Amino acid sequence: MAKPKGKYMWTATVGEKGQIVIPKQARDLFDIKPGDTILLFGDEEHGIAIPPKGAFDQIFNIAFDNDEKSEGGKDKK
């Protein structure tokens, strides 16, 4: 079976302090450097996801855009 293009899978071991090491190939592929902050999303049915490094702004904007339209579909701006 051929690997789907752009799809990857790695394993990581959780240490005694709950820390994981992101595999070097994944760090290189996603340009993760020491000191970078990453987001983790969890879903009891689907598992844990780590979105790409630049996704924070996009997620932040989506979250706050939804909040601004929460009163009857009208913007609070």
Side-chain angles (χ1 to χ4, degrees), residues 31-47:
D31 192 33
I32 299 170
K33 306 282 188 235
D36 284 351
T37 298
I38 59 173
L39 297 171
L40 294 171
F41 292 103
D43 181 300
E44 289 184 1
E45 292 182 23
H46 299 286

Side-chain angles (χ1 to χ4, degrees), residues 6-51:
K7 305 294 181 186
Y8 302 90
M9 187 172 95
W10 298 281
T11 62
T13 302
V14 178
E16 291 179 22
K17 296 181 181 180
Q19 298 169 320
I20 62 168
V21 174
I22 300 171
K24 182 176 179 358
Q25 185 186 21
R27 293 191 317 265
D28 290 347
L29 181 68
F30 294 104
D31 192 33
I32 299 170
K33 306 282 188 235
D36 284 351
T37 298
I38 59 173
L39 297 171
L40 294 171
F41 292 103
D43 181 300
E44 289 184 1
E45 292 182 23
H46 299 286
I48 294 174
I50 305 173

Side-chain angles (χ1 to χ4, degrees), residues 66-77:
N66 288 338
D67 284 346
E68 291 173 357
K69 294 180 181 177
S70 63
E71 287 188 24
K74 296 179 183 176
D75 287 347
K76 292 182 186 178
K77 294 179 183 176

